[in-house]
Amino acid sequence: MNRVEPLAVFAYAFPHRKTQDFITELVAAGFRDIWVIAAPWKKLLQSDQGAYYPKMLRQPPPHDTRTLCSNLGLNYVECAHDDVAEIGRLRDANQFRLGIISGARLLKRAVIELFPEGILNIHPGKIPETSGLDLFFYTIKHRVPMGVTAHFIDPRVDAGLELFFEPTRIGPEDSPETVETNNYYSQIRALRKFLQQRDDGELSPTLVARPVKNSPMPPEEKRRVMEDFPIWRSGQYVVQQRTALFRACRDGHPEVVRAALEELPDLLEARSEEGWTPLIVAAFNQHLTIVEMLLERGANPNAAGTKGTTVLMYAKTRLLHRDHPDYSILERLLKAGADLQRCDGVGKRVIDYVTLEGDLGLADWFRTQETLS
């Protein structure tokens, strides 16, 4: 697909990995009228060059930005990112609506306001918890997920309108370098996701509540934080596996359920934010294969939600008033020991709710099961 719209990319006028990768991604996405606004090299205050964990990967250096643009047939302008007049002239000449940051200095409000759609930044951390410098260390210190935040910027650092958070998968034995590298690739996935959502009209910006940004972290604190890396990694791994398990129980992916429980068997009776177990989620969504898998592994057929609602009560919900209901899940739960007489927090049984709903066929089916039990 060739995209005819003009696009401004804020970049660096020297070899820079993210600049190179974002430009090639945008070309691959079909953009042809790309204007790369490249900020020249500038000596900054000395940053912390300390080594806080081993780094073994050796990657080839990125290409020079000017050469890359020339070889790809893109427009290249070397321009300071605070040059409002020059960027305004480029905007007027090309009618940019959207800007994308692959590498940039702080942008002034006057520059941001030149772009009617906004300027996209993909921050390699969770906003607002990791706003500012040393985001890798603040991710661990604040016990937040690793991932990247896609947002339209405002004049504050790492603020504006959040579009989405793209998480980075964490493995149980990942090194800090592995996590950092995988998080970089999350930025590429987030750029692709942004373009797809934009094409589909599904962008939903929400204001970022970011009262302050983090100050640079002292070296001693970084060392203390890295001592906690294994604990943070384990916690994030469990959270991600639990999230994957509940999503699979909801959407009907038995292979994901099996993999999650093989990795972490204790998740069998985990609780979602709503207080549901995996069996409740699978039964409510009528996924028989998953229900059977969970019961075979020992899931409690009488588990209840926060208000005492039993698995049977959840399982009957989507069967009410069906023309040809399939009672297979109800039968499997009863076979596993689900108690028809169990009451919820207000003293009602499953048959009481079915009767109140006026589904006489399902009520008769439950009465038959009572006589058989």
Side-chain angles (χ1 to χ4, degrees):
M1 175 175 67
N2 285 339
R3 302 172 187 261
V4 297
E5 66 172 302
L7 179 67
V9 177
F10 289 87
Y12 288 133
F14 48 85
H16 181 246
R17 183 183 179 193
K18 186 173 173 179
T19 289
Q20 172 182 289
D21 289 350
F22 270 40
I23 288 174
T24 53
E25 280 290 323
L26 292 167
V27 170
F31 287 96
R32 295 296 178 264
D33 191 9
I34 297 176
W35 287 77
V36 176
I37 304 173
W41 181 85
K42 180 180 180 181
K43 186 175 182 178
L44 303 175
L45 294 175
Q46 183 66 31
S47 60
D48 182 6
Q49 300 298 317
Y52 300 97
Y53 49 88
K55 294 191 176 183
M56 306 299 291
L57 296 177
R58 298 293 179 263
Q59 299 173 343
H63 294 286
D64 175 73
T65 304
R66 182 190 294 273
T67 303
L68 177 67
C69 291
S70 176
N71 290 339
L72 292 174
L74 307 180
N75 305 288
Y76 176 89
V77 178
E78 190 164 322
C79 170
H81 289 165
D82 60 359
D83 190 338
V84 180
E86 177 62 11
I87 296 173
R89 185 191 67 78
L90 291 169
R91 194 288 309 268
D92 292 341
N94 298 284
Q95 295 300 301
F96 303 130
R97 293 191 56 80
L98 172 68
I100 293 179
I101 292 175
S102 65
R105 315 296 184 196
L106 293 179
L107 299 183
K108 294 180 177 179
R109 181 184 299 275
V111 171
I112 298 170
E113 292 177 347
L114 290 171
F115 294 81
E117 192 172 333
I119 298 177
L120 173 74
N121 182 48
I122 297 178
H123 173 77
K126 194 173 188 300
I127 292 176
E129 293 90 339
T130 68
S131 298
L133 299 174
D134 296 327
L135 58 92
F136 184 85
F137 300 96
Y138 278 109
T139 296
I140 299 167
K141 178 180 179 179
H142 293 158
R143 297 289 197 271
V144 295
M146 185 65 70
V148 304
T149 305
H151 65 115
F152 287 130
I153 65 171
D154 69 16
R156 300 173 298 161
V157 174
D158 300 329
L161 296 172
E162 181 176 342
L163 300 170
F164 57 83
F165 176 76
E166 179 71 16
T168 296
R169 291 289 301 275
I170 304 297
E173 298 181 357
D174 283 354
S175 68
E177 185 183 26
T178 301
V179 172
E180 186 177 51
T181 300
N182 288 338
N183 199 54
Y184 174 79
Y185 290 119
S186 292
Q187 296 181 71
I188 308 298
R189 292 200 312 275
L191 178 60
R192 294 179 181 180
K193 182 176 179 177
F194 165 79
L195 295 174
Q196 187 62 60
Q197 288 189 354
R198 182 172 180 260
D199 288 344
D200 296 340
E202 295 178 352
L203 294 175
S204 301
T206 57
L207 185 64
V208 174
R210 199 230 69 187
V212 295
K213 68 182 180 68
N214 295 312
S215 301
M217 189 180 288
E220 316 80 57
E221 186 175 3
K222 289 180 181 178
R223 294 187 183 93
R224 288 196 298 271
V225 165
M226 290 311 300
E227 291 176 358
D228 289 339
F229 175 80
I231 298 173
W232 170 86
R233 178 185 59 192
S234 297
Q236 291 302 311
Y237 176 68
V238 171
V239 168
Q240 290 185 351
Q241 290 293 322
R242 184 173 63 222
T243 300
L245 171 63
F246 279 108
R247 186 181 296 119
C249 288
R250 180 195 68 195
D251 298 338
H253 299 298
E255 68 285 353
V256 177
V257 174
R258 183 179 295 106
L261 292 176
E262 286 176 355
E263 285 289 318
L264 295 171
D266 289 347
L267 292 179
L268 185 65
E269 296 296 337
R271 293 282 174 167
S272 69
E273 292 181 359
E274 299 81 11
W276 293 15
T277 65
L279 181 61
I280 289 175
V281 175
F284 176 79
N285 288 283
Q286 294 293 298
H287 297 308
L288 177 61
T289 300
I290 296 176
V291 167
E292 291 178 333
M293 181 191 304
L294 295 171
L295 290 171
E296 287 169 2
R297 288 175 177 267
N300 179 9
N302 288 302
T306 55
K307 296 182 180 180
T309 308
T310 67
V311 180
L312 277 176
M313 293 174 187
Y314 285 112
K316 57 76 182 159
T317 304
R318 295 189 176 182
L319 300 175
L320 292 167
H321 305 293
R322 291 278 186 92
D323 290 335
H324 303 287
D326 182 353
Y327 297 150
S328 299
I329 288 178
L330 298 179
E331 291 170 350
R332 185 66 181 84
L333 289 170
L334 291 172
K335 182 179 178 182
D339 184 0
L340 280 167
Q341 304 306 319
R342 182 159 298 203
C343 296
D344 64 7
V346 295
K348 287 187 170 56
R349 303 167 300 159
V350 62
I351 194 170
D352 297 325
Y353 284 108
V354 173
T355 303
L356 286 171
E357 287 286 343
D359 190 330
L360 301 181
L362 183 53
D364 287 342
W365 185 88
F366 273 120
R367 291 190 185 94
T368 299
Q369 304 310 309
E370 286 181 326
T371 62
L372 296 175
S373 60

